[in-house]
Amino acid sequence: MKILIIRLSSIGDIIQCMSVVTGLKNTFPNAQIHWVVRSDMQSLVKIDPRIDKAWAFDRKEGFGGVFKLGAELKKEKFDLIYDAHSNIRSNILKLVLCPFGICNLMNKNKLVTRHKDRFKRFLLFNFGINKLPKPFRALASFQTPLAKWNVKAFNTPFENWAFPRETEQKIEELVLANLPEGQKWVALVPSAAWELKRWPVKYWQKLVELRQDLHFVVLGGPGDDFCEEIRSVAPERVINLAGKTSLMESFCTVWHAPYVISGDTGFLHAADLFQKPGQAIIGPTAFGYPSNPKMKIMEVDLPCRPCTKDGSTKCKIKEERKCLMDITPRMVADSIDW
C-alpha cells in the first residue's frame, strides 16, 4: 500500500500534520508513506524515518511545476491520498491524481481532505461567534479526517526521530555539555512572529529568578535581542541560543529538553509532537492549543479572546495583551512539574 500526504507549508502546520504518521503506521503498518512538501521545508519531514519519500515542490516553478509534479506522483499509483493543505496548489495536485473526485466513486474515501472551516473562522474573528471546537486543537484537526480510513490511534509514543548527525553534535556542544551533570533544565521560547502573542520579557526574567533550582535554555532567532535580557538575570543558569542555532537545531533542542515553556509557536507544536511535558502560554490566538496531556495550558478567561488567528492584528481592548499580562510568572513557576 502507498499513502500520499499533501502538506506544503507552513512550519507549524507541517509539524502538527506529522502527528498523523503514527496513526497511519498503527493502522497500515506495512504501508509506504510519501509526503509532498515545499522544498525549503523538506528537512522537517525528513526527521521522521517512517516517511519513505518526501516530494519537494519549489514555488519558483509556478503552477506549471505543480502540474509536472502531479504527473510524477500519478505514476506512483497511490492507494490513499490525504490533502492536509486544501489550497490552490494542493487542489491542482488532486485534480491530476483524482480528477473531480472520480477516484472516490471507484474506491470510496481514497481521497480525503482536511477542510479549514473558513466560514466558521470568519464568524469568530469578525463577529465573535465561535462555532469551532473549544479549545481548538490544530494537531487533532489534522487527525480527525483520517477517521474515514479508520485511523484513530495517534498517541503511541515515538522516539526514533532522525535528526542529522551534525545537528545532534551541535546541540551536544552548545547545550548538553554546558549543563551540570544531572541538572534539570527547561527550554524557554519567548519569541513569536507577532508581538501580540509574546509573553512580556520581564515575565520571563522573573520566571528565571523564581526558579533558582533550574537551568534554562532560551530559543530564538537572530533578531531576538531580548533573549539576552532574559539570560542576564542569571547568566550562570541560562544558556541563550538566540541566533546561534538553525531551525532544525532548535527543534532538536526541544526534542532533548526535559520540559518546554512556549507561547503559540512552531516550537510549541514541536513539543506537542514530541509529547514533551511543559506549558503552553496561550493568549489572543485561537488555534495554538496542544493535544499532548503532559502540556499544561496557561490561559485566562476573557470575553475578548480569542481575537486573532495568528497575532497579526491589534489588541481590541484598552489593556493591551491583558490575556497574557494576567498570566503571572508565579503562576508559571509554580506549575513547573515533571
Side-chain angles (χ1 to χ4, degrees):
M1 174 180 282
K2 284 186 179 181
I3 301 173
L4 177 66
I5 299 170
I6 304 171
R7 181 72 217 190
L8 305 173
S9 63
S10 58
I11 293 169
D13 288 315
I14 289 173
I15 291 170
Q16 292 175 100
C17 186
M18 287 172 68
S19 68
V20 307
V21 175
T22 294
L24 290 172
K25 279 297 187 180
N26 283 339
T27 309
F28 311 108
N30 298 318
Q32 286 187 28
I33 297 179
H34 294 222
W35 192 302
V36 183
V37 64
R38 219 168 66 190
S39 57
D40 57 328
M41 299 185 183
Q42 187 178 13
S43 60
L44 289 177
V45 174
K46 288 187 173 181
I47 70 170
D48 191 337
R50 299 170 297 178
I51 298 173
D52 297 278
K53 184 169 181 177
W55 295 79
F57 166 71
D58 191 340
R59 286 183 297 177
K60 295 178 182 177
E61 296 181 3
F63 291 118
V66 182
F67 280 103
K68 182 180 178 181
L69 176 59
E72 290 296 314
L73 291 170
K74 193 166 186 177
K75 297 176 184 177
E76 297 289 332
K77 298 180 179 180
F78 291 104
D79 297 283
L80 299 173
I81 301 167
Y82 177 33
D83 176 10
H85 204 131
S86 189
N87 71 349
I88 294 175
R89 291 183 176 88
S90 71
N91 285 332
I92 292 174
L93 290 175
K94 287 189 295 185
L95 184 64
V96 176
L97 295 168
C98 178
F100 307 106
I102 194 170
C103 63
N104 276 0
L105 297 177
M106 299 181 290
N107 183 4
K108 187 177 180 181
N109 292 328
K110 175 178 179 176
L111 171 65
V112 171
T113 299
R114 174 185 181 259
H115 297 288
K116 297 181 179 180
D117 293 321
R118 290 183 175 88
F119 181 66
K120 291 181 180 180
R121 296 185 184 208
F122 174 79
L123 289 177
L124 175 59
F125 297 126
N126 290 275
F127 300 101
I129 301 172
N130 193 354
K131 297 296 183 180
L132 294 166
K134 301 177 185 178
F136 184 93
R137 304 182 192 276
L139 188 146
S141 75
F142 282 101
Q143 300 170 352
T144 302
L146 298 189
K148 292 182 178 180
W149 297 342
N150 203 32
V151 178
K152 299 176 181 178
F154 297 96
N155 293 325
T156 306
F158 180 74
E159 298 184 352
N160 297 322
W161 302 101
F163 288 96
R165 184 178 178 183
E166 59 272 20
T167 298
E168 291 277 8
Q169 288 177 336
K170 186 168 180 178
I171 300 311
E172 173 70 32
E173 294 169 1
L174 289 178
V175 179
L176 305 180
N178 291 304
L179 292 168
E181 186 175 353
Q183 174 64 53
K184 289 186 175 182
W185 62 281
V186 177
L188 304 181
V189 188
S191 186
W194 299 98
E195 183 72 23
L196 197 64
K197 293 198 298 183
R198 294 181 182 178
W199 205 43
V201 172
K202 63 182 180 181
Y203 280 22
W204 291 105
Q205 291 175 313
K206 187 62 177 178
L207 171 62
V208 170
E209 291 176 340
L210 288 170
R211 292 305 301 259
Q212 297 183 22
D213 57 318
L214 297 173
H215 277 55
F216 298 90
V217 176
V218 184
L219 297 173
D224 295 331
D225 297 333
F226 53 84
C227 291
E228 184 58 27
E229 297 178 41
I230 299 170
R231 191 193 76 88
S232 66
V233 300
E236 74 286 355
R237 292 189 294 111
V238 181
I239 298 173
N240 177 16
L241 295 185
K244 298 177 182 177
T245 54
S246 66
L247 185 65
M248 180 62 67
E249 290 160 354
S250 294
F251 284 133
C252 186
T253 303
V254 171
W255 164 237
H256 283 287
Y259 198 90
V260 181
I261 302 177
S262 174
D264 179 7
T265 70
F267 295 110
L268 174 63
H269 305 320
D272 197 17
L273 176 66
F274 299 150
Q275 298 192 6
K276 290 289 177 178
Q279 295 179 50
I281 300 176
I282 305 296
T285 53
F287 306 126
Y289 289 88
S291 297
N292 170 19
K294 292 185 285 186
M295 183 70 67
K296 298 176 183 178
I297 297 172
M298 308 301 291
E299 63 178 341
V300 292
D301 188 20
L302 293 174
C304 58
R305 60 179 295 267
C307 66
T308 179
K309 171 182 175 289
D310 54 14
S312 59
T313 57
K314 293 183 178 180
C315 202
K316 294 183 178 180
I317 62 174
K318 188 175 181 179
E319 294 182 71
E320 189 170 350
R321 289 192 295 170
K322 180 176 173 60
C323 56
L324 289 173
M325 299 295 288
D326 284 1
I327 302 172
T328 68
R330 174 59 70 182
M331 291 167 59
V332 175
D334 290 347
S335 296
I336 297 176
D337 182 28
W338 76 92

